[in-house]
Amino acid sequence: QVQLRDSGGGSVQPGGSLTLSCVLSGRIFGHACLAWFRQGPGQGREAVAAVYVIGGSYPPGSSGYFHKSVKGRWTVSQGGDAGTLLLQMNDLKPNDTAVYYCAAKEGSRCGWPPEATTYSAWGQGTQVTVSS
């Protein structure tokens, strides 16, 4: 089965940037949807980005889906190592504070919004804190 590992969280001031990394290992799905969810203090889990990946890689020229609150500020890209995807978060705001999780499911229908209950593999989460 596929395993995911989240990293890259931290504390930044408003307007700052962070890059979250999601590393896939194990039996990587040939065709998969990869999504990032976040859960803020006292809040439910919310999807912020979803992309289609092939063999654990983000196809060149692809575009993903983003929550309206992060569209234009955040992007997804392929990391330097195979099976690594990056969520680049720019212009961070205090209400971006949350634990962020990457998740994956087999398939190619990566619509929006992604339904968390359909994602079978999850990272452990990484904390992002935006505060002055």
Side-chain angles (χ1 to χ4, degrees):
Q1 63 184 19
V2 64
Q3 291 92 40
L4 279 67
R5 180 167 54 86
D6 291 299
S7 65
S11 296
V12 296
Q13 294 185 340
S17 298
L18 284 173
T19 302
L20 302 187
S21 173
C22 180
V23 179
L24 288 74
S25 62
R27 190 185 73 83
I28 297 174
F29 303 132
H31 298 266
C33 301
L34 188 93
W36 276 270
F37 296 83
R38 68 184 177 189
Q39 188 162 14
Q43 299 179 6
R45 193 164 291 188
E46 173 184 63
V48 294
V51 296
Y52 170 59
V53 296
I54 300 176
S57 296
Y58 190 46
S62 298
S63 62
Y65 299 94
F66 295 88
H67 191 278
K68 61 182 179 180
S69 68
V70 308
K71 194 174 295 184
R73 298 191 291 132
W74 298 5
T75 58
V76 174
S77 63
Q78 178 68 44
D81 296 327
T84 300
L85 287 98
L86 306 176
L87 178 66
Q88 177 68 42
M89 306 187 297
N90 298 323
D91 190 22
L92 282 160
K93 304 179 186 303
N95 59 7
D96 293 322
T97 294
V99 178
Y100 284 74
Y101 303 86
C102 65
K105 67 174 183 178
E106 191 167 15
S108 58
R109 294 183 178 272
C110 307
W112 185 265
E115 176 54 55
T117 58
T118 67
Y119 280 71
S120 57
W122 289 79
Q124 80 284 6
T126 185
Q127 175 72 46
V128 171
T129 302
V130 185
S131 174
S132 55

